[in-house]
Amino acid sequence: MRGGRSPPRRWLALGEVGSTNSVAMEAARAGDPGPLWITAERQSAGRGRRGRPWSSEVGNLYASLLLLDPAPLPSLGQLPLVIAVGMRRGFSNLSGLDADRVRIKWPNDILIDGAKCAGILVESERTPDGRQAVVIGCGINVELCPDDAPYPVTTVRRAGSAASVRDVFLALADGVESALDLWRSGRHFSDIRTEWLAGAAGLGEPCRVNLPDRSLEGRFADLDASGRLVLETQDARRLEISAGDVFLLPRQREQSAQ
């Protein structure tokens, strides 16, 4: 993204918006050259993966990064993992946190001490002038988290860091930009894969993957060369999963099923 001398970071900080991803995509349609960071204090129409609502009250970080033609089309599917590596780098540099406590749940949820603290939503479209616009939305629980989540959740504050929302953004931006530099538009995905695996949650452990039409259980065996989750089933099959919701399971559940 920024090989050689890095250009100054372009950052538009807003108050309340519908969605930072929507603002960033509108900028692309209007001809913005990217890269451009958009942050907001609050979102009135925040969304997560598959159109799920994302609680977006004041006190958390809502940020989107606009990239134009960041990589050849076959490599764009690697971006969620690249951004997850960058977010982990950023979290690990916050006061009160360290890399051992910050893990990545496939493909790109960020966990602190096993509880979700951040999520990523990547959206893309072709602009009227033929460029590929990619918007990477990052939602980070700095002070607030939902009480009714179906999985453990936490905040930066609960995890022991006194970092402000601004501090969290600056750490996030530094980490993401450095990971994009490492990736080099897909030419060095092997380096990203190595770092992603070093920070993975549940590697080698049992998990369940919910697909649109079924659920699969097995062992999270690996991340393949293109970034797919490799699930090893009880009958020794190895399945490559491109998309799905992953739930990490207690090891005793796997043992009792044998």
Side-chain angles (χ1 to χ4, degrees), residues 45-54 120-121 123:
R47 60 186 181 274
R49 292 177 60 220
R50 302 182 183 176
R52 296 164 181 158
W54 184 277
I120 299 168
L121 175 66
E123 299 178 307

Side-chain angles (χ1 to χ4, degrees), residues 10-184:
R10 299 172 62 232
W11 173 22
L12 179 60
L14 304 173
E16 179 173 335
V17 300
S19 158
T20 56
N21 266 29
S22 296
V23 173
M25 194 62 78
E26 289 167 5
R29 294 170 189 146
D32 191 280
L36 173 67
W37 283 100
I38 306 283
T39 61
E41 295 179 6
R42 182 180 183 275
Q43 296 182 125
S44 59
R47 60 186 181 274
R49 292 177 60 220
R50 302 182 183 176
R52 296 164 181 158
W54 184 277
S55 179
S56 305
E57 297 303 318
V58 175
N60 289 343
L61 175 63
Y62 315 108
S64 294
L65 174 61
L66 169 65
L67 302 173
L68 274 300
D69 293 324
L73 282 176
S75 297
L76 290 182
Q78 301 165 358
L79 265 173
L81 298 115
V82 177
I83 302 306
V85 165
M87 289 185 74
R88 181 171 184 258
R89 288 183 174 191
F91 270 91
S92 300
N93 286 327
L94 293 176
S95 61
L97 295 179
D98 60 66
D100 287 341
R101 298 174 59 199
V102 182
R103 315 301 290 178
I104 305 168
K105 183 171 76 69
W106 186 87
N108 52 30
D109 284 343
I110 303 298
L111 312 181
I112 301 179
D113 300 328
K116 183 174 177 177
C117 191
I120 299 168
L121 175 66
V122 179
E123 299 178 307
S124 66
E125 68 175 54
R126 185 73 67 177
T127 63
D129 61 2
R131 300 175 301 165
Q132 190 69 35
V134 179
V135 174
I136 302 149
C138 306
I140 299 178
N141 298 335
V142 180
E143 297 182 1
L144 309 170
C145 61
D147 296 324
D148 57 351
Y151 42 75
V153 293
T154 192
T155 68
V156 170
R157 199 74 71 243
R158 287 184 189 175
S161 176
S164 67
V165 173
R166 177 184 173 85
D167 292 337
V168 174
F169 167 70
L170 293 175
L172 165 74
D174 285 346
V176 166
E177 289 166 5
S178 68
L180 287 165
D181 282 346
L182 175 64
W183 182 53
R184 294 193 179 278

